Amino acid sequence: MSKKTAIIKGDGIGPEVVDSMLHVLKECNSQMEIINCEAGSEQWEKNGCKDESYIPDVTMETLKESDACFKGPTTTIPKPGAPRSVAVTLRQKFELFSNVRPIRTYQRLTPDRSLDFVCFREATEGLYSGIEVEISDDDAIAIRQITRSNCRRFISSAADWAKKYDIKKMVAITKRNILKKTDGIFWSEMENCIKENPGIEPLDEDGNPSDHTYYVHFWGINRRHDCWVEFKGVIDDIKITLCLLYTSDAADEGLGVDLGGRRII
């Protein structure tokens, strides 16, 4: 029996991008059952902006019955009262808490840069919680929610990956010096992970053995010794096999990978 795959073409350039992807699937003879669905701000506006979500009920039911979903770019209207983004809605609905992004360069294409790692990015908590409070016309607060149970499942998913692929070392960054409570919860679960997985050796930002006190927010598991990171800027030469980011905060600080002007993470 073929796998059932939902297709969301999305907004803007979404249909063009997804059509190209469907051409690749056809050439690969994927033999999947393709089901086209609607979601995004354009269909929401077309329907009179009356729905509470950018995802129609019929699309959500199709997603529940599908094995996978290919989603094109969707627009989130940045104004009060507009629905939550399609991506965040789907992550939280289906508990897609680990956003796994393989990133690799090839010698013949980027001879001056060597990258080979997988980024795990937590995708449901922190500022993605979408909790805001308006104190007055001039003041508002956004809640950066981090829970121990979600930290644990996220870190465990990355640790399981590390064990599966025999990855031994990790490097870590966070804002625990400033956000002592929220990142403190994340860090304590990282310490638990280290205790439960004695084969994983933590490194500092220079690739040297750490005493487990280095701040954690961007961490990777590295099987090579020549890894270094320039913080809050472009990663010039990183040979990490698995990286982990909790929520969007590190990316918002400018942490990322720049490949010829194209930013990742």
Side-chain angles (χ1 to χ4, degrees), residues 222-237:
N222 179 7
R223 61 170 63 134
R224 302 183 181 93
H225 69 280
D226 53 347
C227 155
W228 69 276
V229 177
E230 178 185 355
F231 298 129
K232 295 188 179 179
V234 176
I235 301 179
D236 286 333
D237 183 22

Side-chain angles (χ1 to χ4, degrees), residues 65-247:
E65 298 171 358
S66 299
D67 298 288
C69 172
F70 289 99
K71 172 192 165 295
T74 50
T75 300
T76 303
I77 299 174
K79 67 179 183 181
R84 180 169 293 190
S85 78
V86 174
V88 173
T89 300
L90 293 179
R91 292 172 194 165
Q92 295 179 342
K93 173 66 177 180
F94 296 103
E95 296 190 328
L96 305 174
F97 54 88
S98 286
N99 188 340
V100 184
R101 304 182 181 189
I103 300 170
R104 183 180 181 183
T105 57
Y106 294 88
Q107 181 67 24
R108 64 185 180 85
L109 298 177
T110 55
D112 298 326
R113 181 162 299 170
S114 178
L115 295 166
D116 185 4
F117 66 100
V118 178
C119 176
F120 273 62
R121 185 170 183 238
E122 208 290 333
T124 61
E125 283 205 318
L127 297 178
Y128 283 132
S129 301
I131 304 171
E132 294 183 296
V133 179
E134 186 175 14
I135 299 173
S136 69
D137 291 340
D138 300 316
D139 293 280
I141 296 174
I143 306 299
R144 182 177 182 267
Q145 182 182 29
I146 293 180
T147 61
R148 187 173 299 278
S149 60
N150 285 350
C151 287
R152 184 180 301 117
R153 70 177 184 177
F154 175 57
I155 294 168
S156 295
S157 70
D160 289 343
W161 180 284
K163 288 184 285 187
K164 180 178 179 181
Y165 293 100
D166 193 32
I167 302 169
K168 301 296 186 183
K169 298 179 181 181
M170 68 181 184
V171 62
I173 307 167
T174 193
K175 299 173 184 174
R176 190 168 63 97
N177 58 332
I178 304 298
L179 301 169
K180 298 178 176 64
K181 299 293 186 180
T182 50
D183 275 6
I185 292 174
F186 180 56
W187 174 245
S188 68
E189 286 305 311
M190 277 297 307
E191 291 183 313
N192 290 336
C193 176
I194 293 169
K195 293 175 183 177
E196 295 167 2
N197 298 275
I200 297 177
E201 177 187 359
L203 304 177
D204 66 14
E205 77 278 19
D206 294 317
N208 301 314
S210 168
D211 61 1
H212 297 192
T213 61
Y214 195 74
Y215 304 134
V216 178
H217 207 104
F218 173 94
W219 71 280
I221 299 175
N222 179 7
R223 61 170 63 134
R224 302 183 181 93
H225 69 280
D226 53 347
C227 155
W228 69 276
V229 177
E230 178 185 355
F231 298 129
K232 295 188 179 179
V234 176
I235 301 179
D236 286 333
D237 183 22
I238 186 169
K239 297 178 180 178
I240 290 178
T241 317
L242 190 152
C243 300
L244 189 152
L245 285 162
Y246 202 84
T247 77

